[in-house]
Structures are given as structure tokens and as C-alpha cells.
Amino acid sequence: MNVVVFDLETTGLSPERDGIVEIGAVRIVGGRIEEQLRYETLVKPTNAFGDPMLIPWHAQRVHGISNEMVRHAPTISEILPEFLEFVGADAVVAHNIGFDGSFMRVNAKRLGLNWSPAAELCTVQLSRRAFPKERAHNLTVLAERLGLEFAPGGRHRSFGDVQVTAQAYLRLMERLGLGV
């Protein structure tokens, strides 16, 4: 099964009130990460009415994306149709799919689009199954547990997180004896 591993950076935690500031994705084909089949863009965040919004300082502290960085970036209304085409009918994978998937569903609905991947798979849930005695399953801990490293400056940036999530997904599926 081909999958698209994706990650979002946002202005906050609420898909109804906050905006997307970055999307990163990579496709896994036949159990191999295809780095050339990637999607990566900054996004100028907008509110529910499509009006531009600022990135709060607390969000900037997490991902390092500033208002200046997204000043000339396209908005989600420009990006989302293109990203949905990139995903196509494949399944999607994210670390905490509930978070990223909710932002995709809310934004797609708001724009009259359809977020309907073949399946939504979660590396947090896979980690809980693979390591049931462990309490922490955040991406940093999971990467350490699996011997994976983030590229310099890659943690909490969409594509950096996607690269590690994709590797973690493959290793977790192998560990759980699930075919990819």
C-alpha cells in the first residue's frame, strides 16, 4: 500500500480557530521512502473567514516559523487543492493523526473540498502497540527509541518531522509484523 506521510505546523491547537503555517509530506511506495515524491510549503495562515492572521509568539517558539517567513507564502485556499491532489486516493500517515487530520478536515470543509484519504494511520498508535509498556510516545522519544535522528534544524519543521515519521512508520510496521 502506498502512503503519504504528512505533518503540519500551525498557529495553535484548534483547527476551528488556528491556521496552518507549513505542510510537509513524502510518499512511501512499495515500502520505500521516495524523497523525490515530496510536498513542502510554507502557508500564510488565515482564520475561518479567510482573513490573514498572525502567528502567535508561543507557536513561533515551537516551530520557528515567523510572520515574516510566511508574508509572501500562499494561503491554505491556494495550497489545499494542490496538496489533496498530491495525496490522491492513498492512505495518509501522521504522528498524532487526530491533530493533523482534524486541521485537514476543517480546512477542506471550509473550502468546499473533500479530505478523503484511503485510510488515516497514526504512528503514535503504532508506537503504543509496539511498545505497550512505555508511557511516552511523542516523536522525539519515538525517534530515540528507534535509533532515528532529525536533520539539523528539522525537529518541529514539517519536512524534518515527516522524514523521521516516515522512517518510524516503516520500522513500527516491521516490528509489528504488518505488511507495508
Side-chain angles (χ1 to χ4, degrees), residues 1 35-36 38 50 53 56 64-65 77 81 83 88-89 92 94 106 116 128 131 136 141 145 147 151-153 166:
M1 172 172 66
E35 289 276 340
Q36 75 279 9
R38 68 192 277 174
M53 62 186 300
I65 301 169
S77 63
F83 181 66
V92 293
V106 166
S116 58
R128 287 181 178 144
F131 304 103
V141 168
R145 197 173 285 144

Side-chain angles (χ1 to χ4, degrees), residues 85-96:
E85 187 175 313
F86 176 81
V87 171
D90 286 341
V92 293
V93 175
H95 195 76
N96 190 4

Side-chain angles (χ1 to χ4, degrees), residues 14 61 65 79 83 89 96 100-102 120 143 159 165 170 173:
S14 170
R61 279 190 17 208
I65 301 169
I79 290 300
F83 181 66
N96 190 4
D100 297 273
S102 67
E120 292 185 357
F159 199 74
T165 301
L170 292 174
M173 294 295 279

Side-chain angles (χ1 to χ4, degrees), residues 105-126:
R105 273 187 295 286
V106 166
N107 280 280
K109 183 177 180 183
R110 189 177 292 149
L111 296 170
L113 302 170
N114 188 22
W115 171 250
S116 58
E120 292 185 357
L121 306 168
C122 183
T123 51
V124 172
Q125 295 303 320
L126 292 172

Side-chain angles (χ1 to χ4, degrees), residues 18 29 34 47 67 85 93 112 115 135 149 171:
D18 293 306
V29 179
E34 299 292 342
N47 64 21
N67 290 303
E85 187 175 313
V93 175
W115 171 250
R135 294 183 67 186
E149 293 185 20
R171 290 191 184 179

Side-chain angles (χ1 to χ4, degrees), residues 5 11 26 28 45 47 57 62 73-74 77 79 101 117 120-122 126 136 139 143 148 150 153 164 166:
V5 181
T11 62
V26 69
I28 296 177
N47 64 21
W57 66 269
V62 173
S77 63
I79 290 300
E120 292 185 357
L121 306 168
C122 183
L126 292 172
L139 190 55
L148 304 173
F150 291 91
V164 170

Side-chain angles (χ1 to χ4, degrees), residues 4-21:
V4 173
V5 181
F6 80 104
D7 181 69
L8 306 176
E9 299 303 332
T10 65
T11 62
L13 302 176
S14 170
E16 289 81 18
R17 290 188 308 274
D18 293 306
I20 296 170
V21 297

